[in-house]
Structures are given as C-alpha cells and as structure tokens.
C-alpha cells in the first residue's frame, strides 16, 4: 500500500489575515523564519512522502518559486509539482484541474493547517474500509469557523457547512486520504466542503479517524501569531530508538534478507504507538553481516525498505534507519575495522540526534543487548532492555 502522494491546497485568498495575505499566499507566510509550507513539508518528509502536488491559484508564481527553492523539499529529495487553476475554482475545482497529476491514492492537505496525525494510519483506514476518502477529525471547543462533523463506528455520517453556536464538536482537521475514484465526484468549480464531503458522508463513502494531537489553523490573526512560537517547537520531540534484530524482528542470526525476516510480536503496533505519541521512531542496528560477507549494504537497504512498506500497511512508519556495517573481524576489507557507529559506540544515535531535533530527555533506546544500553548511556539517553513478550505492551508502559 503506502500512499505515495500529497496534494496541498495553496490557492485560498486568506482574507481574514488582512494585509499579510494581500500579496502572499497564506501557506507561504513566514512562520518562525521560514514559509509555513516548509514546516508542513518537513513533517511530511519524516513520514516518507516524496511526491507533492501544490494546488495554486492566487499569486501562483510565488508558489512555483517556492517549489523550486524549498529547503524542506531539498532535505528529503522531494519532487514538487505545481497545478494552477485557470480561474478561481474552489478546493474541489483545484483537485479537478490537477487530475492528470494525481496518483491512484493521495492525501489532500490544507496548506494553512497543522494537525498532528498519523498519515499512514489514515491511509490504511481508507484502504481497509474501501471508501473513497478517510478524513482526520479533530474535536475543538468552538467549531463555528469550520464544518461540523458527526461520525459513528468509523464513518462520517453528517458533514455540514457554516454551523455556528453548536458548542464543542468534531471538525475536518484538513487531512483527507483519497482514492483516485474520488475524481469522478469532483466539480470543475466549487468547494470540497460544500459539494463533495457532504455527498460522500450521505452515501457512506467517507470514513473518519478521530485524532487528538496538536492542531492549529493559521488563517486568523491570533492563530498566526501563536504559530510563530508553537509551530517551530513541533519539530523538537522525543524519540524511541529501536534496536532491530531481537527487538523489532526475531534474531535468526545475521538477518539480511526478506525471507529470513520475521516481526517480533507486537512490533508493528509498538512503532505505531510511538508515531501516535508524537515521538520520532528510529532504528539503530549493528549489521556485522556486511563486514563478514553474508550480505551487502544494498541488501540491508532493501530489507529496510520492505520493513517500511510493511509498517505503512499497518499504519506506522520509521522516521530514519541507521545501521553499522563494520566489524573488526570482517572479511570484506572496506568494513573490517572498528567504528564509533557500531554499538556500544554512540555514533548512530548521536548522528540522528544531530540531524533531527531530538529532545534527549524525552528519548529512550529499546535494545536486547548490553551493547545497546551502553550506546544509549554514551549518547546521554535512557535505555531499557527487552527480552521477550509483546513489544507494544512494553512501549505502552514507556509512553
């Protein structure tokens, strides 16, 4: 599975922000020293998304310029394409005009909203339920600015617009996983919120996932001001560093191929728990089998790609993999040496902590060997030794 593509709505006028958006698309407004859209791309990048379609209209050339120079896109090697509406066509029309660029499965994302959501779980919900779309839903105290949503048993049963004075309730969180079949329901002009989502709700084709993470819509002045402080802070988070063999998968001895790979009980669920707790999930694994000639680095990378895809199907993901191919007793000369990145050395951990904004005080390593614990201690983070049982049960106690 694995939804490969994100479509980001960037075409709104943002009139509630006054002069701020008089000549600048709302998603390109500076937040914490960089365009808000770059913050979104950094989040999407860690979930593994590389294909992005920007749906532009107002000041579309600025969006195109951003696509050519995005810092976040460069970091993750993203491909950014821009679809421009010939006239103002609304959110539904924006998707319709981009139809030739859209994949069989994609996620529609509001370009002015941050929602902490497990994108892969949302995509898995849509696929497993075989609906046209699955919407992330967020409870807010005052839904008057939004479309009020009711849902039951995982399905949106009612989607309204302009509902005011209803008290706390669930709203569209601005993240919707879609099947390409949705395109047959799109208008050439018109809003998804008025013409598409209500129709799908009535026909039983709109799944819903309640999420409770951080939510901020920058579309009004006080929220935009709050974003200057809170959005940059979202990138700094705790992490769970997973050893691989003996923790995530059964240690059959130098596991370097898919046919010898077997998940530990509760491993995929454990990774998903970490994702949904808002923490980074990393893998740090000694792979001396490379130095000893049992398999190659390409084999390690292929196995990690398989793990990531399998995790995506389970609604989970690893933010980054690190492995050490070195061993002093290796028979392959390029790898037959000592290295600080081989545990008990802390190199893999400190590398990740330098590349990502990791809060060490909120981080932990889960390993099955004393060398894992020693690496964590050298990196200045906590560690716990895992021996058996369901890994997700252990992670629940940590969270």
């Amino acid at each position: 599975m694995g939804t490969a593509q994100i479509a980001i709505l960037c075409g709104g006028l943002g009139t509630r922000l006054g002069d701020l958006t008089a000549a600048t698309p709302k998603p390109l407004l500076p937040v914490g020293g960089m365009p808000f859209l770059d913050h979104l791309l950094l989040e999407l990048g860690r979930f593994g998304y590389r294909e992005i379609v920007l749906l532009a209209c107002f000041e579309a050339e600025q969006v195109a310029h951003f696509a050519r120079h995005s810092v976040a896109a460069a970091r993750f090697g993203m491909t950014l394409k821009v679809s421009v509406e010939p006239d103002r066509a609304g959110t539904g029309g924006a998707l319709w005009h981009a139809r030739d660029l859209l994949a069989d499965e994609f996620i529609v994302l509001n370009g002015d909203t941050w929602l902490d959501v497990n994108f892969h779980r949302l995509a898995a919900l849509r696929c497993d339920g075989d609906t046209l779309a699955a919407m992330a839903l967020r409870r807010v105290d005052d839904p008057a600015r939004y479309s009020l949503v009711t849902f039951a048993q995982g399905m949106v049963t009612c989607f309204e617009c302009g509902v005011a004075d209803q008290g706390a309730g669930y709203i569209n969180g601005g993240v919707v996983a879609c099947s390409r079949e949705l395109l047959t329901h799109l208008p050439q002009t018109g809003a998804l919120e008025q013409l598409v989502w209500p129709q799908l709700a009535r026909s039983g084709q709109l799944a819903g996932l309640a999420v409770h993470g951080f939510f901020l819509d920058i579309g009004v002045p006080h929220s935009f001001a709050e974003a200057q402080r809170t959005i940059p802070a979202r990138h700094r988070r705790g992490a769970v560093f997973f050893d691989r063999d003996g923790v995530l998968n059964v240690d059959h001895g130098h596991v370097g191929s898919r046919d010898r790979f077997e998940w530990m009980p509760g491993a995929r669920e454990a990774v998903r728990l970490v994702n949904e707790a808002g923490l980074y999930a990393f893998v740090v694994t000694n792979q001396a089998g490379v130095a000893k000639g049992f398999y190659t680095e390409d084999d390690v990378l292929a196995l990690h790609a398989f793990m990531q895809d399998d995790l995506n199907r389970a609604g989970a993901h690893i933010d980054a993999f690190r492995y050490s191919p070195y061993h002093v007793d290796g028979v392959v000369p390029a790898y037959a040496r000592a290295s600080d990145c081989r545990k008990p050395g802390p190199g893999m951990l400190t590398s990740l902590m330098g590349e990502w904004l990791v809060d060490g005080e909120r981080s932990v390593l889960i390993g099955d060997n004393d060398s894992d614990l020693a690496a964590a201690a050298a990196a200045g983070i906590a560690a716990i030794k895992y021996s058996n049982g369901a890994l997700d049960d252990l992670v629940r106690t940590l969270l």
Side-chain angles (χ1 to χ4, degrees):
M1 189 205 74
T3 301
Q5 188 184 65
I6 305 287
I8 304 181
L9 295 161
C10 302
L13 293 177
T15 54
R16 289 175 297 184
L17 288 173
D19 290 343
L20 285 172
T21 50
T24 304
K26 191 167 30 171
L28 298 186
L29 289 175
V31 171
M34 62 192 294
F36 179 72
L37 193 50
D38 256 338
H39 290 287
L40 295 182
L41 293 184
L42 286 172
E43 186 73 354
L44 293 168
R46 78 181 190 87
F47 275 84
Y49 296 104
R50 300 294 182 263
E51 290 188 27
I52 312 293
V53 179
L54 304 178
L55 309 179
C57 183
F58 173 65
E59 293 291 341
E61 180 48 43
Q62 292 186 39
V63 177
H65 181 271
F66 169 85
R68 294 190 295 269
H69 301 282
S70 164
V71 172
R75 172 179 172 177
F76 288 106
M78 291 174 166
T79 299
L80 270 56
K81 299 178 181 178
V82 180
S83 172
V84 181
E85 307 161 38
D87 298 298
R88 290 196 54 76
T91 52
L95 270 184
W96 186 86
H97 283 289
R99 63 195 181 281
D100 291 339
L101 299 177
L102 297 175
D104 289 343
E105 301 199 19
F106 58 92
I107 290 178
V108 180
L109 189 69
N110 286 351
D112 59 357
T113 302
W114 178 294
L115 176 66
D116 271 351
V117 58
N118 183 344
F119 296 97
H120 294 303
R121 185 177 181 188
L122 186 68
L125 174 67
R126 194 214 66 75
C127 287
D128 293 345
D130 196 27
T131 56
L132 292 184
M135 178 177 290
L137 307 174
R138 180 63 159 77
R139 187 173 177 85
V140 297
D141 292 334
D142 181 11
R145 286 173 51 199
Y146 308 97
S147 302
L148 194 65
V149 174
T150 57
F151 73 108
Q153 298 180 328
M155 297 298 298
V156 175
T157 56
C158 184
F159 189 102
E160 302 179 50
C161 277
V163 176
D165 302 323
Q166 296 290 323
Y170 282 96
I171 63 166
N172 172 11
V175 184
V176 187
C178 304
S179 163
R180 185 174 174 81
E181 294 178 41
L182 175 72
L183 301 182
T184 63
H185 296 259
L186 295 179
Q188 294 186 36
T189 302
L192 293 166
E193 297 79 3
Q194 295 173 334
L195 301 177
V196 180
W197 306 143
Q199 173 193 343
L200 295 189
R202 288 191 295 269
S203 61
Q205 285 294 320
L206 183 59
L209 177 67
V211 298
H212 309 287
F214 176 80
F215 172 78
L216 186 66
D217 174 351
I218 66 168
V220 295
H222 72 86
S223 294
F224 181 68
E226 179 186 348
Q228 304 302 322
R229 172 181 56 85
T230 57
I231 294 300
R234 301 309 302 171
H235 300 299
R236 181 171 175 80
R237 54 184 81 212
V240 175
F241 296 83
F242 291 98
D243 178 42
R244 204 193 77 180
D245 302 333
V247 176
L248 288 178
N249 60 277
V250 178
D251 188 356
H252 293 303
H254 296 302
V255 177
S257 60
R258 180 171 169 177
D259 61 297
R260 301 186 66 238
F261 183 89
E262 179 184 356
W263 289 106
M264 291 290 278
R268 284 168 290 193
E269 294 81 0
V271 175
R272 192 175 77 183
L273 286 170
V274 171
N275 298 153
E276 296 183 353
L279 303 173
Y280 292 124
F282 299 130
V283 168
V284 286
T285 174
N286 287 345
Q287 290 300 312
V290 176
K292 296 177 180 180
F294 298 139
Y295 45 81
T296 67
E297 285 198 71
D298 285 344
D299 293 327
V300 175
L301 295 173
L303 182 53
H304 289 171
F306 161 75
M307 291 174 63
Q308 189 74 285
D309 192 54
D310 208 38
L311 284 166
N312 290 173
R313 276 190 286 268
H317 81 283
I318 295 294
D319 289 288
F321 291 82
R322 287 288 188 277
Y323 66 93
S324 174
Y326 304 104
H327 196 282
V328 292
D329 296 327
V331 299
V332 180
Y335 306 110
R337 63 177 177 86
S339 172
D340 184 58
C341 78
R342 176 176 169 79
K343 294 175 290 184
M348 287 187 285
L349 285 76
T350 55
S351 170
L352 286 164
M353 295 173 75
E355 181 179 338
W356 302 74
L357 292 176
V358 174
D359 183 347
E361 294 184 356
R362 297 174 54 217
S363 300
V364 63
L365 179 143
I366 302 175
D368 65 329
N369 289 307
D370 290 341
S371 61
D372 298 317
L373 309 190
I381 65 170
I384 188 166
K385 196 169 186 178
Y386 167 75
S387 55
N388 54 50
L391 187 60
D392 56 331
D393 289 340
L394 172 62
V395 168
R396 283 190 184 91
T397 65
L398 294 176
L399 298 180

